[in-house]
Amino acid sequence: MRKILPFVLLGVFLALIPWQNAAADEEMSSSEPKVLILYHAEEQTQKEELTILDLLVGHFSSKITIQSIEEAAAEYDKGDYTHVIYFGLAKRSLTEEELFIVDQYEDIKKMFIGNFFEYFKDAQNLSIRDYRKIEAVSGDGIMIQLKEEKDMMLVNSVDTMEVLYEGVASDGDYPLIFKNGDVYYVAANSITGRLSDAVGESLFDFFEADKFPPQKLIRLEDIHPRSDPKLLKQVGDYLAERDIPYAVTVIPVYTNPETGDRIHLSQAMELVDVLKEMQENGASLIQHGYLHQYRKDETGEGFEYWDVDNDRPIYQSHDAKVKLREDFASDEEYRDFVRNVGVSYEQDYIYSSIVNGVKEMTAEGLYPIAFEAPHYSMSQTGYKELSMYFTTYVGQIQISDRTYNGTYSPVYESEPAGLHGMKVIPETLGYINPENPNAVEELIEEADYVEQFSDSYLSFFYHPYLGIETFEKVMEKMQKFDQYEWVDLKERDHKTEVNGIVVETAAGEIDVSRPINMRMSETMKNYWWVAVPIVIFIIIALASILPKIRGRKTEKDFWLK
């Protein structure tokens, strides 16, 4: 019995491990903040700021519910939230029912942003006495120079509260973000531009989150079958020699804008070999659309998921007669067209481009672990469709379906409600524009700014066709930030899953699985030369056997003779 007992105890211990892991996962999930964002907005442009707030909050929680205060008042359903944020954008006064929706959440953390927060129970002692235009925000060792002046409210009775950030006006500094215990206030009715960075930094206090130093990330952009493999290899070798991980965005197909002819990765094997070598030596590959064009723009220049000519989502084929609002008798008829035809076409269009792109990349041994939309342009429907196939998006987010001319990314990683489970790795510093002689200096200036913020990314992209010399200048300037680590995306968890093709990463490794019929088809394509002698042998064998078969007499022929 004594000999058996250790084995019994070991078996019990091993049996408990899955339960322990499950309990740990459940505890981690339950400790994640559950956030309700209630907004009060009247104009579409006001509602677009919800995307910004969603992206800011998404760094601290993926459990975010966004609801208009009118809808919440109509439902009167109190949820089990740990944090509530009220965002007042409209100028209409709040009703008693709407005020109650926020007031009912007691003994939890709350944040009030914008108009009418002074009417809530948690702000009864506050009042607005005036407004100021501010040109900067300061606090917690951070100085934010705004690119354009912003309005802020001057609030009475803040003397006894803790001021986190102040707005800098021409006649002095005034409390901008402040708190009273578990209740926080932002005395501004808009959070666009750099003001959002101050709000984002204050959320570390609001969510009691740990702060970490910045990280660096570089992307080599717009690599397609016509890209020069020698220039690409020079940049890749430079990074590999210095053991710097990086990302490469790949466009699987190049389209000649004049002839319409397409060149696929399978027709650019020298480039494919370079990309495979880079993938083995530290590069993480990102699918950058499929064509990077919609109509007749050159690949790399055109949009793919946005009809930029009409500034709307992709509702029709590129060669179809465009149907606009004026082609319909009423707004309702046009909305029906968008709902029943346009959105359906857009979903199929995005699905097809993703399937083809992933299939063609993986066929050449290139494994995309994330996605980036050309020019960062995609509709909200597009992001939802994309989230079905990728867990990670890289770049900036288009904040509205009203126009493509407005993208945003927080300075840190985020998993907002609007991306339906995808996390976004931000681009914060821009890129080297060959037409701007001060591009390198401006990129470093922006890095100096972003460096101030917790968990931030010093993230930029570079086009290898600009040459190794310019790239070396950028990297030399970036040595100023050598204390921060370069991000290896493969060290994070990412998943791409399309039509049976699965690409997953973890701890620096890439795991790939593909359907057997796809592998067999590609094996036949790659090893067609093996089949040639077999076919020749079969032809010769048939040629020698068939005459004998024709000349053989049947049993009937024998007896007739």
Side-chain angles (χ1 to χ4, degrees):
M1 182 67 181
R2 289 179 180 176
K3 292 181 179 179
I4 298 174
L5 184 60
F7 294 99
V8 173
L9 292 174
L10 178 62
V12 171
F13 174 75
L14 292 174
L16 287 175
I17 287 177
W19 294 97
Q20 292 170 346
N21 290 339
D25 291 342
E26 185 177 349
E27 182 180 352
M28 184 177 297
S29 176
S30 63
S31 65
E32 184 179 6
K34 189 175 181 183
V35 186
L36 172 64
I37 298 177
L38 292 166
Y39 69 91
H40 180 212
E42 294 171 316
E43 305 295 334
Q44 179 58 40
T45 52
Q46 295 172 343
K47 295 177 183 178
E48 291 164 10
E49 294 200 35
L50 267 296
T51 304
I52 296 174
L53 183 59
D54 184 24
L55 282 160
L56 293 173
V57 174
H59 181 66
F60 305 92
S61 175
S62 61
K63 297 179 177 180
I64 304 171
T65 300
I66 302 176
Q67 194 174 25
S68 75
I69 201 162
E70 293 91 344
E71 293 170 342
E75 294 177 6
Y76 252 57
D77 181 23
K78 184 179 180 180
D80 183 23
Y81 298 102
T82 62
H83 296 71
V84 172
I85 300 175
Y86 162 78
F87 193 6
L89 292 151
K91 294 183 178 180
R92 175 185 64 80
S93 298
L94 295 167
T95 65
E96 290 186 8
E97 291 78 10
E98 290 166 346
L99 290 169
F100 172 76
I101 288 301
V102 178
D103 288 340
Q104 69 177 327
Y105 291 99
E106 298 178 331
D107 301 323
I108 66 170
K109 284 204 164 185
K110 285 185 268 190
M111 176 177 279
F112 296 93
I113 307 173
N115 295 328
F116 302 116
F117 68 77
E118 68 272 23
Y119 291 97
F120 291 99
K121 186 168 60 177
D122 288 300
Q124 286 180 344
N125 296 326
L126 300 181
S127 61
I128 297 171
R129 69 176 185 273
D130 205 350
Y131 294 84
R132 284 290 186 279
K133 296 223 179 258
I134 58 172
E135 55 192 29
V137 177
S138 66
D140 197 23
I142 293 174
M143 174 58 74
I144 303 172
Q145 292 293 337
L146 303 178
K147 292 187 174 181
E148 56 183 17
E149 288 186 331
K150 292 288 184 181
D151 290 325
M152 72 164 286
M153 310 163 192
L154 303 190
V155 183
N156 291 320
S157 305
V158 183
D159 300 345
T160 59
M161 298 187 183
E162 181 182 350
V163 177
L164 302 178
Y165 295 92
E166 293 184 313
V168 180
S170 59
D171 61 346
D173 300 347
Y174 299 93
L176 174 66
I177 303 176
F178 45 94
K179 69 174 185 175
N180 184 19
D182 285 341
V183 183
Y184 291 65
Y185 308 89
V186 180
N189 54 21
S190 173
I191 60 170
T192 57
R194 284 187 167 183
L195 190 56
S196 66
D197 298 328
V199 175
E201 191 69 17
S202 73
L203 291 175
F204 282 89
D205 195 285
F206 183 61
F207 287 102
E208 300 179 58
D210 294 331
K211 296 182 177 182
F212 296 96
Q215 305 171 84
K216 298 177 294 185
L217 176 63
I218 181 170
R219 241 171 43 235
L220 306 182
E221 193 84 342
D222 289 340
I223 307 305
H224 55 69
R226 283 288 302 275
S227 295
D228 189 328
K230 294 183 177 60
L231 293 177
L232 178 62
K233 180 172 171 55
Q234 286 177 349
V235 178
D237 287 348
Y238 176 97
L239 293 166
E241 288 166 5
R242 290 157 180 78
D243 198 27
I244 297 175
Y246 58 101
V248 183
T249 66
V250 179
I251 309 163
V253 178
Y254 174 86
T255 306
N256 186 317
E258 297 179 358
T259 65
D261 294 337
R262 292 182 175 180
I263 302 174
H264 297 257
L265 285 170
S266 59
Q267 298 167 279
M269 292 313 298
E270 185 180 355
L271 176 71
V272 168
D273 290 341
V274 170
L275 286 169
K276 289 171 73 173
E277 179 184 347
M278 296 171 84
Q279 184 174 242
E280 293 169 2
N281 293 334
S284 298
L285 303 188
I286 297 169
Q287 184 182 345
H288 192 27
Y290 180 55
L291 306 173
H292 206 310
Q293 55 125 228
Y294 171 54
R295 288 196 168 88
K296 293 185 178 180
D297 298 294
E298 184 176 6
T299 295
E301 298 296 329
F303 291 65
E304 184 169 4
Y305 302 109
W306 193 260
D307 181 357
V308 70
D309 291 347
N310 299 294
D311 202 7
R312 70 175 189 178
I314 303 294
Y315 288 151
Q316 299 173 257
S317 171
H318 67 91
D319 54 1
K321 182 182 181 302
V322 177
K323 291 185 177 181
L324 303 174
R325 166 61 188 88
E326 53 264 32
D327 297 312
F328 296 85
S330 66
D331 290 343
E332 185 58 36
E333 285 187 20
Y334 180 64
R335 284 193 290 267
D336 285 343
F337 161 75
V338 170
R339 281 193 300 264
N340 301 324
V341 178
V343 171
S344 177
Y345 180 85
E346 181 186 20
Q347 290 171 326
D348 291 342
Y349 172 88
I350 292 173
Y351 168 75
S352 177
S353 75
I354 291 170
V355 168
N356 290 330
V358 172
K359 182 179 178 180
E360 293 189 27
M361 287 183 68
T362 56
E364 306 305 330
L366 306 175
Y367 305 122
I369 66 173
F371 191 90
E372 178 199 342
H375 299 298
Y376 303 141
S377 295
M378 179 173 271
S379 74
Q380 305 308 303
T381 297
Y383 291 127
K384 187 174 183 179
E385 182 71 21
L386 191 63
S387 70
M388 298 172 65
Y389 316 109
F390 291 91
T391 62
T392 306
Y393 182 92
V394 177
Q396 299 186 5
I397 300 299
Q398 183 172 313
I399 65 173
S400 166
D401 285 354
R402 181 178 58 87
T403 177
Y404 77 96
N405 193 19
T407 60
Y408 176 80
S409 72
V411 296
Y412 41 54
E413 196 171 313
S414 177
E415 190 174 333
L419 289 189
H420 308 280
M422 283 193 299
K423 59 178 171 286
V424 57
I425 308 295
E427 179 267 291
T428 58
L429 307 184
Y431 70 108
I432 301 303
N433 183 347
E435 297 180 1
N436 180 4
N438 300 316
V440 177
E441 289 73 19
E442 290 177 6
L443 186 145
I444 300 303
E445 287 177 8
E446 194 66 21
D448 286 333
Y449 169 75
V450 175
E451 180 192 19
Q452 302 179 94
F453 300 101
S454 306
D455 295 11
S456 61
Y457 271 71
L458 308 184
S459 175
F460 66 97
F461 64 90
Y462 183 82
H463 294 100
Y465 70 77
L466 296 177
I468 189 65
E469 293 81 8
T470 303
F471 186 71
E472 288 175 343
K473 292 179 183 177
V474 176
M475 297 306 289
E476 288 171 7
K477 295 286 188 180
M478 285 296 295
Q479 290 177 7
K480 178 178 182 180
F481 309 101
D482 273 354
Q483 69 271 35
Y484 306 130
E485 293 184 359
W486 290 99
V487 173
D488 184 351
L489 291 179
K490 294 190 298 299
E491 293 289 340
R492 317 287 179 85
D493 293 340
H494 310 284
K495 186 175 182 180
T496 302
E497 186 170 7
V498 179
N499 275 23
I501 303 172
V502 181
V503 180
E504 292 184 273
T505 64
E509 299 296 325
I510 301 178
D511 183 56
V512 183
S513 62
R514 306 171 71 241
I516 188 169
N517 62 325
M518 197 175 291
R519 296 200 303 270
M520 289 179 63
S521 174
E522 287 159 12
T523 299
M524 291 297 294
K525 182 182 72 172
N526 295 331
Y527 295 98
W528 59 269
W529 50 272
V530 176
V532 172
I534 296 175
V535 172
I536 293 174
F537 173 79
I538 293 173
I539 292 173
I540 293 172
L542 289 174
S544 61
I545 293 172
L546 285 175
K548 295 180 181 180
I549 294 175
R550 293 194 192 99
R552 186 182 300 160
K553 292 181 179 180
T554 65
E555 185 178 356
K556 180 180 178 182
D557 292 336
F558 178 82
W559 289 109
L560 287 173
K561 185 176 179 182

